Amino acid sequence: SPSTMFTQNSLLVAGAVATAAGVVFYLTQKNGSKVNTVAILDAGAQYGKLIDRRVRECKVESIVLPLGTPASELKGKYGAIILSGGPGSCYASDAPAFDPEVLDLGIPILGVCYGYQLLNFIKGEK
């Protein structure tokens, strides 16, 4: 039934987000960075606040910023970046803006849903 599918999808997303938070915590510790704050670049996901909460539950500070935040504003301030999900497609003409120089900051980046698609799209993959 539709309500069962919604519940299953919600559980899958919650599980993925919890796993993502654990991965980010691990990466910020292994990164050797003295900065252990995670930037969550929000592409309009309905789960953005959940990602933020899960990261904070791992005792890692996080801040939610717009997806289009320039790399120059992120450099040296964050130990990792999460690109959140969003309602659109990275192939759409009205896709949210993203600074590809973010990928050159030398810190771990995790894409969730739309964020994962965006990482592949920026690198020329499908």
Side-chain angles (χ1 to χ4, degrees), residues 107-126:
I107 59 175
I109 299 175
L110 175 69
V112 178
C113 298
Y114 177 88
Y116 181 75
Q117 291 177 6
L118 181 62
L119 288 173
N120 283 306
F121 179 74
I122 296 289
K123 292 296 187 179
E125 301 296 329
K126 294 186 179 192

Side-chain angles (χ1 to χ4, degrees), residues 4-91:
T4 303
M5 285 179 52
F6 177 76
T7 303
Q8 290 173 342
N9 287 341
S10 296
L11 289 174
L12 287 173
V13 169
V17 169
T19 301
V23 167
V24 168
F25 177 75
Y26 173 78
L27 291 174
T28 57
Q29 301 306 306
K30 298 299 277 183
N31 189 22
S33 172
K34 293 188 176 17
V35 180
N36 70 346
T37 302
V38 173
I40 301 169
L41 300 186
D42 185 19
Q46 61 184 354
Y47 293 103
K49 298 254 186 228
L50 178 59
I51 294 170
D52 182 43
R53 188 182 89 210
R54 294 290 188 197
V55 170
R56 288 173 183 268
E57 286 175 354
C58 291
K59 307 292 187 234
V60 175
E61 184 180 350
S62 60
I63 184 167
V64 179
L65 301 167
L67 181 66
T69 303
S72 60
E73 291 183 25
L74 301 170
K75 188 173 184 173
K77 296 179 183 175
Y78 303 98
I81 295 173
I82 297 176
L83 304 177
S84 80
S89 168
C90 55
Y91 299 102

